[in-house]
Amino acid sequence: MSKSKKSKFYAYFIPSSGKNGVTSDWAVTEKMVKGVTGARFKAFDSKAEAEAWLEKGAIYEAKQLVIARPLNNEPGIYFDAGTGRGEGVEISVTDENGKNLLHKVVDGTELNKFGKHLVAPSSHEASKGAARTNNYGELLALRYALEIAKKMKVKNIFGDSRLVIDYWSQWRIKRKELPVETVALAAKVAKMREQFEAAGGTVGRIPGGHNPADLGFHRP
């Protein structure tokens, strides 16, 4: 008796509309992506792997995803920002196991289905067709991480942005070269960090590939 063919699961993501999903029928997936500019799709052996790929931004470079396995990170709050889903700057704040925490300080209506927050441009930027930068997103993510750490009484915060951790959040910033909104946020975050560290907290830097809050745009 011949062995039955192993089932496959197909994940797809349409950047222009944000539509995505997982099917077990290639014909259905093909219908969704065929002829669509920028469409991303990939086959997996399990539905969990397919869903994880979508959660990480549907990035082709993510050749291997670890499913539901902690990275043995130090307990704390972790933050990140990225643009890999093609919808603008997105921020992520999690615990050491990748569990989303943004809902503790951000209204649920401002979170996407992945539990992340899409950073909207200011009215001034929007009028010029400009968008927030990834660095601004990292800075905002640190602000939320500080708020969450205070609420949860956590003493350790980690991120992978050298610019934000070593410079902007310590008020080492080129104020004349950056938008006023970025400078204002940096001033607020620097004060919050100073208070956090005065109370015994620490803000540390880790490699992007070791960051459980990572949006999937650094990992090998």
Side-chain angles (χ1 to χ4, degrees):
M1 181 182 292
S2 61
K3 293 183 179 180
S4 59
K5 188 176 180 181
K6 189 175 181 180
S7 299
K8 287 282 187 180
F9 292 86
Y10 305 94
Y12 66 88
F13 173 57
I14 313 298
S16 59
S17 65
K19 190 171 184 178
N20 65 82
V22 176
T23 79
S24 58
D25 187 338
W26 166 243
V28 173
T29 303
E30 184 180 31
K31 185 177 180 181
M32 298 295 299
V33 302
K34 189 173 183 180
V36 180
T37 302
R40 306 173 200 164
F41 52 93
K42 192 173 181 180
F44 296 88
D45 291 329
S46 72
K47 186 176 181 180
E49 289 177 302
E51 291 175 339
W53 183 67
L54 289 176
E55 279 197 39
K56 295 301 180 183
I59 303 300
Y60 286 125
E61 289 74 16
K63 297 184 183 299
Q64 183 177 2
L65 296 172
V66 178
I67 308 300
R69 189 171 73 191
L71 296 173
N72 297 320
N73 289 301
E74 185 175 345
I77 309 295
Y78 291 75
F79 70 94
D80 187 37
T83 57
R85 259 186 269 273
E87 300 175 355
V89 177
E90 192 174 345
I91 67 173
S92 169
V93 181
T94 75
D95 66 9
E96 64 275 11
N97 294 317
K99 182 179 178 180
N100 289 317
L101 297 174
L102 276 172
H103 63 279
K104 293 183 178 295
V105 293
V106 177
D107 189 273
T109 59
E110 297 183 25
L111 301 177
N112 63 20
K113 69 177 184 178
F114 305 111
K116 314 303 181 184
H117 175 57
L118 191 63
V119 184
S122 67
S123 56
H124 176 69
E125 290 170 324
S127 67
K128 293 187 174 182
R132 294 294 193 190
T133 66
N134 191 71
N135 290 328
Y136 180 93
E138 294 273 7
L139 185 62
L140 182 59
L142 176 53
R143 172 194 162 182
Y144 287 140
L146 287 162
E147 291 179 1
I148 293 168
K150 182 177 180 181
K151 179 174 287 192
M152 296 179 65
K153 298 182 180 179
V154 173
K155 294 297 184 181
N156 298 314
I157 293 176
F158 303 94
D160 54 57
S161 171
R162 181 180 181 186
L163 177 67
V164 167
I165 294 173
D166 294 349
Y167 295 92
W168 286 7
S169 67
Q170 298 194 63
W171 198 229
R172 298 163 65 187
I173 186 171
K174 297 179 180 178
R175 285 170 279 177
K176 294 182 179 180
E177 299 178 15
L178 293 165
V180 293
E181 293 91 348
T182 300
V183 175
L185 179 60
K188 181 178 180 66
V189 172
K191 185 174 182 179
M192 292 173 67
R193 178 176 177 177
E194 182 180 6
Q195 293 171 344
F196 176 68
E197 293 179 330
T202 62
V203 178
R205 188 158 57 88
I206 58 172
H210 295 170
N211 188 351
D214 181 70
L215 288 157
F217 316 137
H218 299 297
R219 289 183 185 169

